[in-house]
Amino acid sequence: MVAPGSVTSRLGSVFPFLLVLVDMQYEGAECGVNADVEKHLELGKKLLAAGQLADALSQFHAAVDGDPDNYIAYYRRATVFLAMGKSKAALPDLTKVIQLKMDFTAARLQRGHLLLKQGKLDEAEDDFKKVVCVWDAELRELRAECFIKEGEPRKAISDLKAASKLKNDNTEAFYKISTLYYQLGDHELSLSEVRECLKLDQDHKRCFAHYKQVKKLNKLIESAEELIRDGRYTDATSKYESVMKTEPSIAEYTIRSKERICHCFSKDEKPVEAIRVCSEVLQMEPDNVNALKDRAEAYLIEEMYDEAIQDYETAQEHNENDQQIREGLEKAQRLLKQSQKRDYYKILGVKRNAKKQEIIKAYRKLALQWHPDNFQNEEEKKKAEKKFIDIAAAKEVLSDPEMRKKFDDGEDPLDAESQQGGGGNPFHRSWNSWQGFNPFSSGGPFRFKFHFN
């Protein structure tokens, strides 16, 4: 048995550091939660911050009920109990937290204080000893090295961050944190940490050399993203190719660069290139939702609707709440159905991303070729009349921006069945009704007469 004074006096010298650790571990804690539990936790946190303790408690009750193995839910509920002065109710929750996550220092520290107040000195001292032992910077750094060798870089970063606070001027810790973030592909955090190193020692050789590399890479990526926002996809592609040349040894930068190049090709309506690069990304990361979406869009341009549907469906399996995926899938399904009917692009022999000038040019050529006056045989003339009507209808739809958008979205503006409210088809006409159209202008009467038998 030990006296309360001896416990608190031993704790007092490190207590300021303990508060830092409590904040760090609490804010950085990760715990898998479902969407409903996450909502309860976030709402409860806001209510707690606003001082609405009873309402916050209700939210944390719901979070615990929704996920009985969620240590964050128990910890936050215990926090409310403590704020309400209900330490006896808080103690079981803190114990549950420690059972679920033995290295949760904040919970162990608070439980130690409660046990001390209840006179359970041996139990309290045991908690305090386990808290205080984590304040050895050298042990933290040693454990970080083990995590690195075991392939657990994020756990290593957590220990090194603690070590950087425990030991003054710990440039080595900041350097290691920066290099770990860099290897994970997080160039922004890497840059932030290496700057901390240089604040402590501006002549630190390894930090300075690493800083120059990270800064160069970060500048390229920021520039590329700005070009994407401006719609300058070719220039952005060039920048991301430079990223891969600047850092060829870390796979994460190659994957992320190709993912963005895939996006640029897709947005720039270069479907062949987009499909090729997106496929390279998906070979490395089969569940990459961004690459799946961009490749699906490229497939749509290439009129490969089955492939587009498959990509959208795979993406939806991994992110079912993404509205862009849902809308893309619906569009692909409409276009597939539409392709089994009349396709105005195929009628004119142009790509789906063809410019208006290309559409008019194709129309004029085909209108001349299939003009009924070119045919004397009655059967051939009837076939030409039907063909000419389709050609004129295709030109009418694809040269009108509003009608073309409807068609591109999977709706035929000239098909009565696809129009809400029904009605007749204004373009399903006889040959005679098209005699007033001039294939060499945007409308207006012909300058010559047609002669029919």
Side-chain angles (χ1 to χ4, degrees), residues 9 16 29 48 73 98 112 151 159 207 238 256 305 342 352 358 373:
S9 63
L48 176 59
I98 296 166
D159 269 345
C207 281
S238 178
R256 297 286 80 80
Y305 305 124
R342 183 165 61 168
R352 297 190 76 87
E358 297 175 67
D373 275 359

Side-chain angles (χ1 to χ4, degrees), residues 245-291:
K245 291 177 183 177
T246 301
E247 185 47 85
S249 60
I250 297 177
E252 186 67 21
Y253 293 106
T254 299
I255 295 172
R256 297 286 80 80
S257 295
K258 287 191 174 184
E259 178 187 317
R260 298 305 281 161
I261 291 171
C262 148
H263 177 73
C264 290
F265 280 140
S266 182
K267 290 298 181 185
D268 206 22
E269 296 190 343
K270 295 178 178 178
V272 175
E273 294 90 339
I275 291 168
R276 174 178 56 80
V277 179
C278 293
S279 297
E280 290 176 5
V281 175
L282 290 166
Q283 284 179 353
M284 296 180 281
E285 291 184 347
D287 300 334
N288 188 309
V289 172
N290 292 328

